[in-house]
Amino acid sequence: MKDLGLWGQLIYYFSHNGMYVLSQFNQTFLVSIYGVLLGAIVGIPLGIWISQYRRLSPVIIGAANVIQTVPSLAMLSILMLGLGLGQTTVVVTVFLYSLLPIIKNTYTGMLSVDPDVLDAGKGMGMTRWQVMMTIRIPLSLSVIIAGIRNALVIGIGITVIGSFIGSGGLGDIIIRGTNATNGGAIILAGALPTALMAIITDLVLSFIEKRLTPKTSSEH
Amino acid sequence: MLLSMEHLRKEYPNGKVAVDDFNLQVDRGEFIAFIGTSGSGKTTTMRMINRMLNQTSGTITIDGKDISKMDPVKLRRSIGYVIQNTGLMPHMTIQENIEIVPKLLGWSKEKRAEQAHKMIELAQLPDDMLQRYPGELSGGQQQRIGVVRALAADQQIILMDEPFGALDPITRESLQDLVKHLQEDLGKTFIFVTHDMDEALHLATRVVIMSHGKQVQVDTPENILRHPANEFVTNLIGEERLIRAQPNILTVSQIMLKTPVSITPDKTLDDAIDLMHDRRVDTLLVTDDKGVLQGFVDLDDINRITDGTTPISRFTNRKVFYVQANSLIGDTVDRILKQGVKNVPVVDAKKHLVGIVTRTALVDIVYDALRGAPDADEEPASPINADIHAAANHEGGDTAE
Ligand SMILES: Nc1ncnc2c1ncn2[C@@H]1O[C@H](COP(=O)(O)OP(=O)(O)OP(=O)(O)O)[C@@H](O)[C@H]1O
Ligand SMILES: [Mg+2]
């Protein structure tokens, strides 16, 4: 195997461990998705809530900011003390880190809706709920999705690091590569799919973001 | 009474009293314009009508029902609402925008669509525009949609807050025509906030002039131009506009001399000459004993007669040109000036002599109207405009109290 170049070794690795890489890929992806999904389930309503009670926004956004400043490895270790080794801890960490981008974008999106449009909606007799569902959310949806996109890219990075506390995934391959002598190809075998995942999810979400942006022109 | 506001007061949480003891009774089909300086409480008053704001005290009733006891959401669906920046939903087509309130009211899809077509026609815009988005329309077209959207569920009262403030003068005029049509021909009632005095005077059946949360004057445009309540109103209307409007609001009785020199036909030539001498005039108006105008005698005519006992009836010139006391100066001035006479007798409806208009007084009014406002140190030609001029140039005339 030594006579092969780095790329040759990489191809060799993939051809022999293809299914293994794929299953690690899936695992990393799912852990990130679960974390971000939880983040969205909590963060979007929180963002909406603080946009209605704006006095609360510095508190909530401040708290999310504090979480963000803790280095992810430190956060993983701290949580590990409470939650033990494994995927749960990583999912919770991804969840915590996705809160800030999701809350912040939801909040900004809500506030960027033209106040005149909101005033007209209310003045025409829409209930608060109707204003939310037919005006606020549609008009801020693309900004909210952009927040989720951010969160997912961050989340993938954290999940890979999460392998250190035994959550498996592509990070495992990378760690194995760092431990092996001449493990460059193995590191790449973990790192390239990770990068690919980040890029693809980003592209897919940006596509969704564009699709969900409400039409304001009849042309296309 | 369609809409009634009594002793309305609005105090904001920060202690600012924005509206104080506001009273107004509005009949169906009226066009009420609120005008006043910035911060005078126009928007606040208007927004209390659809409960976008709740009054601190006082009552608002619509068709006799107290709106504070109504569900605000239902109330708002029954009142049209138009704001300056149109408030069209950018992510909805024009059709969806027009259908908002009908949809909230649960109309069927077919009925809504039918209404949308009706409304776009009312807005005088092409039907295929229904499928476009607001961003694809010009500002004027957007506001046309904003106006008809407020009528889509057959609302009877329409509230408008400076709806045309952001439009250029020509577009604005065409939208003014639209709302005037809606009021005059469809009998809609408008409450209209504006900063533009010409707009208020042109559209309104009654103008509410506000200052510091209080009503300063509530009256028809004619009456406000005729009798501005105080200096504040005079200033708000502007000297220029007041003086220009004079020929169209002043009646002949307002500029006539109320003491015409008259004589009855049974008097003699000597009496006439004595009277002319005493009063230093060269014409006498002849009236019968009930005061009805018969004609006039002129010094030239008298000169030719030598017998001092000739009765006046013998040489009365019966071809007398006269005007009605209640006619507008603008309507009569042409006729008077064309006659080339020095003085014109003024009569009431039963042709009783009530006064006399001098050609000079008339010319002064017309001259002022043509010239507009004189400079501060210059007096208007007509004394009747002097008050306006003085009020407008009075120091500190900008505030009401
Ligand atoms: N939410 C609020 N809280 C406190 N004060 C307010 C509030 N809204 C308006 N005001 C004050 O109440 C007064 C009346 O405001 P309002 O908006 O009714 O004036 P307006 O006549 O519509 O003025 P403009 O011609 O500038 O639109 C102003 O002094 C304003 O500063
Ligand atoms: Mg206002």
Side-chain angles (χ1 to χ4, degrees):
Chain A
M1 206 168 114
K2 263 204 208 104
D3 353 311
L4 295 168
L6 186 63
W7 295 105
Q9 289 176 31
L10 185 63
I11 290 163
Y12 180 84
Y13 187 90
F14 277 148
S15 61
H16 282 76
N17 304 295
M19 288 319 286
Y20 171 69
V21 174
L22 200 64
S23 81
Q24 298 302 75
F25 185 94
N26 274 343
Q27 198 176 343
T28 302
F29 187 65
L30 284 178
V31 169
S32 316
I33 289 279
Y34 286 144
V36 172
L37 220 54
L38 276 177
I41 290 170
V42 175
I44 294 176
L46 257 173
I48 292 176
W49 189 56
I50 59 172
S51 73
Q52 305 289 295
Y53 301 91
R54 286 175 55 186
R55 267 171 301 123
L56 296 167
S57 66
V59 181
I60 305 285
I61 292 183
N65 252 321
V66 168
I67 297 176
Q68 208 76 3
T69 53
V70 179
S72 45
L73 200 54
M75 178 69 83
L76 283 167
S77 321
I78 296 165
L79 287 177
M80 193 185 66
L81 297 178
L83 298 171
L85 292 167
Q87 289 178 351
T88 319
T89 311
V90 181
V91 169
V92 172
T93 311
V94 172
F95 158 74
L96 287 176
Y97 280 90
S98 58
L99 283 177
L100 182 70
I102 293 176
I103 293 177
K104 227 171 160 178
N105 275 42
T106 306
Y107 178 73
T108 322
M110 289 283 138
L111 292 191
S112 66
V113 178
D114 180 356
D116 283 330
V117 171
L118 295 172
D119 187 66
K122 184 179 176 194
M124 283 189 292
M126 288 187 182
T127 60
R128 265 180 97 109
W129 177 251
Q130 286 164 335
V131 169
M132 184 59 73
M133 300 314 285
T134 58
I135 305 177
R136 272 189 197 275
I137 291 185
L139 286 179
S140 50
L141 201 56
S142 62
V143 185
I144 297 175
I145 300 286
I148 293 179
R149 218 173 113 188
N150 263 341
L152 204 53
V153 173
I154 296 171
I156 291 169
I158 291 169
T159 312
V160 172
I161 296 171
S163 303
F164 281 109
I165 60 160
S167 76
L170 292 169
D172 266 4
I173 304 178
I174 297 177
I175 293 168
R176 187 163 313 140
T178 54
N179 292 335
T181 40
N182 284 331
I186 305 178
I187 295 179
L188 270 186
L192 276 184
T194 309
L196 202 67
M197 186 190 305
I199 291 168
I200 290 174
T201 45
D202 200 46
L203 284 176
V204 168
L205 278 171
S206 89
F207 175 74
I208 296 177
E209 184 185 323
K210 287 210 184 73
R211 286 297 301 271
L212 288 181
T213 304
K215 271 177 75 168
T216 54
S217 153
S218 53
E219 311 259 298
H220 31 86
Chain B
M1 199 56 54
L2 179 63
L3 169 68
S4 144
M5 291 178 255
E6 274 165 15
H7 306 298
L8 273 191
R9 178 184 169 86
K10 176 67 187 178
E11 190 175 335
Y12 281 108
N14 64 2
K16 168 86 194 172
V17 178
V19 178
D20 192 16
D21 198 22
F22 185 98
N23 295 282
L24 188 67
Q25 308 290 320
V26 183
D27 262 325
R28 196 171 291 281
E30 272 202 276
F31 198 118
I32 306 288
F34 289 0
I35 194 164
T37 42
S38 190
S40 54
K42 307 178 292 290
T43 299
T44 305
T45 307
M46 200 198 77
R47 286 166 70 87
M48 287 192 280
I49 299 173
N50 62 353
R51 292 193 58 188
M52 291 297 274
L53 290 172
N54 286 319
Q55 67 265 32
T56 312
S57 62
T59 23
I60 303 177
T61 61
I62 292 178
D63 279 330
K65 279 182 293 234
D66 186 345
I67 64 162
S68 65
K69 301 203 171 65
M70 292 160 77
D71 173 7
V73 165
K74 280 209 187 98
L75 174 73
R76 290 180 200 133
R77 290 175 186 174
S78 71
I79 297 177
Y81 186 55
V82 184
I83 55 179
Q84 177 168 6
N85 296 320
T86 76
L88 295 182
M89 312 295 157
H91 59 304
M92 295 184 192
T93 61
I94 299 305
Q95 175 153 5
E96 288 165 337
N97 263 288
I98 294 177
E99 289 180 0
I100 290 175
V101 181
K103 197 168 173 185
L104 291 172
L105 292 172
W107 291 19
S108 74
K109 202 167 176 234
E110 295 72 35
K111 197 173 162 205
R112 285 190 335 241
E114 192 185 318
Q115 189 71 353
H117 290 292
K118 241 199 245 162
M119 287 299 124
I120 195 107
E121 192 186 328
L122 193 61
Q124 295 150 6
L125 292 172
D127 198 69
D128 55 17
M129 209 173 253
L130 283 176
Q131 302 318 320
R132 306 250 288 269
Y133 284 86
E136 301 172 313
L137 271 59
S138 74
Q141 290 168 337
Q142 287 182 31
Q143 195 55 294
R144 273 177 189 275
I145 300 297
V147 170
V148 296
R149 179 176 72 170
L151 305 169
D154 199 27
Q155 292 91 335
Q156 290 307 309
I157 302 177
I158 323 289
L159 308 179
M160 297 189 156
D161 196 351
E162 299 188 37
F164 312 142
L167 303 174
D168 64 86
I170 294 170
T171 311
R172 180 186 305 197
E173 213 168 286
S174 77
L175 270 143
Q176 287 168 350
D177 291 344
L178 173 66
V179 293
K180 198 69 192 151
H181 160 70
L182 298 175
Q183 179 238 338
E184 284 180 342
D185 303 337
L186 302 186
K188 303 288 182 189
T189 308
F190 285 86
I191 309 289
F192 187 99
V193 173
T194 178
H195 261 126
D196 179 345
M197 183 54 83
D198 287 321
E199 186 169 77
L201 295 173
H202 169 58
L203 291 175
T205 55
R206 277 193 298 157
V207 178
V208 177
I209 296 179
M210 296 189 68
S211 167
H212 296 98
K214 291 207 169 67
Q215 292 159 294
V216 181
Q217 190 169 12
V218 181
D219 216 328
T220 60
E222 294 73 28
N223 283 341
I224 284 183
L225 283 170
R226 203 169 287 160
H227 311 289
N230 56 24
E231 240 166 59
F232 172 78
V233 178
T234 305
N235 273 296
L236 195 69
I237 301 172
E239 186 184 8
E240 182 88 25
R241 209 177 269 112
L242 276 174
I243 291 183
R244 279 193 199 287
Q246 290 294 49
N248 298 321
I249 53 169
L250 280 181
T251 58
V252 170
S253 64
Q254 284 172 287
I255 63 159
M256 70 186 183
L257 298 172
K258 296 198 173 61
T259 51
V261 186
S262 65
I263 195 163
T264 46
D266 53 312
K267 297 273 170 40
T268 64
L269 176 64
D270 285 341
D271 296 330
I273 292 170
D274 286 350
L275 186 59
M276 282 181 175
H277 181 257
D278 283 353
R279 303 287 295 268
R280 309 192 65 81
V281 295
D282 59 0
T283 325
L284 293 177
L285 296 171
V286 182
T287 60
D288 66 12
D289 47 2
K290 291 193 192 69
V292 175
L293 181 67
Q294 305 271 307
F296 67 97
V297 292
D298 196 274
L299 199 57
D300 291 342
D301 304 331
I302 294 173
N303 274 340
R304 281 180 263 121
I305 303 163
T306 44
D307 182 3
T309 59
T310 319
I312 284 177
S313 56
R314 290 272 301 279
F315 51 89
T316 299
N317 190 337
R318 290 179 195 280
K319 274 203 214 144
V320 61
F321 176 72
Y322 59 88
V323 292
Q324 296 283 336
N326 60 4
S327 53
L328 292 176
I329 290 170
D331 296 342
T332 48
V333 69
D334 275 359
R335 288 195 292 136
I336 295 176
L337 293 179
K338 272 189 201 118
Q339 292 291 320
V341 290
K342 287 190 294 273
N343 304 309
V344 182
V346 180
V347 298
D348 66 9
K350 293 205 176 97
K351 216 183 158 191
H352 293 112
L353 180 69
V354 290
I356 188 162
V357 181
T358 66
R359 194 181 161 94
T360 328
L362 261 182
V363 170
D364 285 349
I365 292 277
V366 175
Y367 170 74
D368 283 341
L370 289 176
R371 186 177 64 153
D375 293 333
D377 53 352
E378 217 182 323
E379 279 298 307
S382 169
I384 213 149
N385 287 330
D387 291 344
I388 297 174
H389 184 62
N393 289 291
H394 186 269
E395 263 187 274
D398 283 323
T399 47
E401 291 101 66

